[in-house]
Amino acid sequence: MMNLRVMLPEGERKFREYIHNVRTNPRYQYPELNNEPFSKEFLPVISINETKHFESKMELAEYLHNCFKDADLKREDALQQNGLWTWLAYVWFDQLAPITNSATGERDIKEDAKYICSSDYQDYYRHLVSGPYSIYSLHGAENSRIFLYSRVYEHNDFIEQFASRQFIISHKNIVEAIRTLYIDCQRGKPKKGAQSRTNPGNIRRFVSVIQQFELTYDIYTISPERILDLLPDEFNNWKSEER
Amino acid sequence: MKRRLNYTGRKKIERENVSINFIRKDGAIVAFTFNKLDLSNLKLPSEAKVYVEVYYRTDLKRFDFGTAGSISYPSYCDLKDMAYPENVKFRILVVNPADGKLLAHADRISPEEPAERKTILPVEFSDLGNEIWRVEYEGDEGSPILVINRRIPNIQNIAKQDSQFMMYVYPQVIREVLTHMVFVDRVDSATEPSTDWHGEWLNFIRQLGVESPETLINDDENFSKEDKEDALRWINSAVKAFCDSYSNKFEDYIHKMEEHHDEP
């Protein structure tokens, strides 16, 4: 266990440099950034298990949610701290960018925004640690599962299509409608075909329809059931549990 | 994404009829207050409900402002539980209580910062990874903001004064904004567009001596080949006129290049 830290600009620079270099040189040395001037201890003191392995984004988000809750750290105070999220990605880098070739040490490394938490409104939901926490802490376990079912290093289409859209991800009733439509309760994963671009009522079509609703209804006051009722017929197949 | 369809006759609350200010404590934003919300010209039913929503990223907070016939301004609208109060935008909704349909609305409103002079292209400095600049349509009513990568050393001075930066970046920014306005937003009038920032940018281009062609406005789903060429020609003329108006910066840039070239 170690105490939660906040990455400082110099640490962020070093971490970014490491990410860039390890892409082409898998043996590039992982930098030691758990001291000043690279990072500083976060207050209040919160213990984090830096070796904990997470099976899914859901597990990771739940773990952080509980750590922060135990320390009385409010969601809004945690989310403001970009350096905190960057540091968490740094300590869990091994599982966020896993080795894909044990012989060469090559890793599955995505774009910087997945590891370096940025103020950029277009990138924030892509961060592999703050993105899941942000969704879980707002929507709770049941409604988050549709977004957080995948492995910690994978960026799924539900996050890309829904979490990237402020209007959708901030409305709890829309998120509940999404879960009702697309989750396969038995598997705890999306129903097959929901992410297809060609199936009627796929998730991209849901986005288009909600964008029309946004300009027609006061969505905030509409229940999830009413949202489902308002959807056109192409969504009927998704309303049944069997699919 | 085309979002101009208005089958329900929803009315637009003009930006000039809204005035919002932040309340700060020790420099940090803790609340907001409305100085003005004038719906009188919209002829809305007096019983229609008025709501104000504050949002950014996953955060959304809603305030009840009474009815169109009797707007009640909460004296203190707390923002302390918002994660990013500096960045929040406002949405105003007037709702028919009978069926929940929108009767009028305004979106992406930013509060006034009274000391600031109004600019058609606010500049922000942010970490853009390996990008030097980007235009984001996150201002009032989706108006453009030029975001420049704050990781570049001394970038705030460079952006203001460096002739090379100015001649490389700003003409492309203008091209991008006009292209967005015409082909993405689909500006709806050359003289009195319904979106304020479209009008401000059209005025700016007019002041450069370039008149907007009628074909800029296109109600069809797609532009005809000729109209598209007209619009692109207009954009090119606007960019050229802008560069001509900064010919001193261009000369300065050439001069620096020559000096650099002559160095042993």
Side-chain angles (χ1 to χ4, degrees), chain B residues 14-131:
Chain B
E14 296 292 343
R15 181 66 183 84
E16 66 201 30
N17 292 325
V18 179
S19 172
I20 312 167
N21 282 128
F22 280 138
I23 298 171
R24 290 173 188 268
K25 192 175 173 189
D26 301 327
I29 293 168
V30 291
F32 72 90
T33 181
F34 262 67
N35 300 322
K36 179 183 176 186
L37 177 55
D38 183 0
L39 306 176
S40 57
N41 62 339
L42 296 179
K43 297 189 173 61
L44 295 161
S46 60
E47 71 280 10
K49 292 289 294 173
V50 180
Y51 299 105
V52 171
E53 291 182 349
V54 190
Y55 64 90
Y56 186 69
R57 293 188 175 175
T58 54
D59 287 348
L60 172 67
K61 199 165 178 182
R62 182 161 162 129
F63 298 86
D64 189 337
F65 272 58
T67 60
S70 173
I71 293 177
S72 59
Y73 297 89
S75 57
Y76 189 83
C77 301
D78 195 350
L79 292 178
K80 275 186 290 197
D81 51 355
M82 302 287 282
Y84 315 93
E86 297 279 350
N87 304 89
V88 294
K89 300 281 183 199
F90 292 77
R91 185 185 292 136
I92 302 161
L93 310 170
V94 183
V95 181
N96 181 345
D99 59 10
K101 286 194 173 164
L102 292 185
L103 301 174
H105 98 318
D107 198 0
R108 298 194 194 184
I109 304 282
S110 300
E112 286 89 37
E113 294 290 348
E116 280 182 15
R117 191 167 62 87
K118 173 94 171 156
T119 167
I120 62 166
L121 186 68
V123 179
E124 288 180 7
F125 297 90
S126 176
D127 184 351
L128 296 181
N130 297 312
E131 264 182 282

Side-chain angles (χ1 to χ4, degrees), chain B residues 126-145:
Chain B
S126 176
D127 184 351
L128 296 181
N130 297 312
E131 264 182 282
I132 293 177
W133 63 272
R134 180 195 299 164
V135 178
E136 292 178 353
Y137 296 88
E138 285 295 303
D140 280 353
E141 301 180 302
S143 61
I145 296 169

Side-chain angles (χ1 to χ4, degrees), chain A residues 12 16 75-76 79-80 118-122 124 134 138 166 170 211 214-216 218 220, chain B residues 1 3 8 10 55-59 62 81 83-84 91 93 100-102 127 134 136 138 151:
Chain A
E12 184 185 310
R16 196 187 291 275
R75 177 180 188 269
E76 59 269 25
L79 286 174
Q80 286 171 358
S118 133
S119 304
D120 187 343
Y121 84 101
Q122 290 180 326
Y124 78 94
S134 170
L138 183 66
Q166 187 278 331
S170 64
Q211 284 175 338
E214 177 187 348
L215 300 175
T216 307
D218 177 24
Y220 190 94
Chain B
M1 180 178 53
R3 304 182 67 188
T8 57
R10 181 186 66 251
Y55 64 90
Y56 186 69
R57 293 188 175 175
T58 54
D59 287 348
R62 182 161 162 129
D81 51 355
Y84 315 93
R91 185 185 292 136
L93 310 170
K101 286 194 173 164
L102 292 185
D127 184 351
R134 180 195 299 164
E136 292 178 353
E138 285 295 303
R151 292 175 60 209

Side-chain angles (χ1 to χ4, degrees), chain B residues 154-165:
Chain B
N154 195 32
I155 187 60
Q156 301 197 344
N157 285 328
I158 292 172
K160 269 187 202 157
Q161 292 160 8
D162 182 77
S163 56
Q164 186 167 341
F165 184 90

Side-chain angles (χ1 to χ4, degrees), chain B residues 2 5 18 50 52 71 80 92 97 110 122 130 158 176 179 188 192 207 229 240 253:
Chain B
K2 191 163 184 277
L5 299 176
V18 179
V50 180
V52 171
I71 293 177
K80 275 186 290 197
I92 302 161
S110 300
N130 297 312
I158 292 172
E176 140 106 37
T179 305
D188 55 7
E192 290 182 346
Q207 283 161 17
E229 283 171 0
K240 181 178 181 306
Y253 166 61

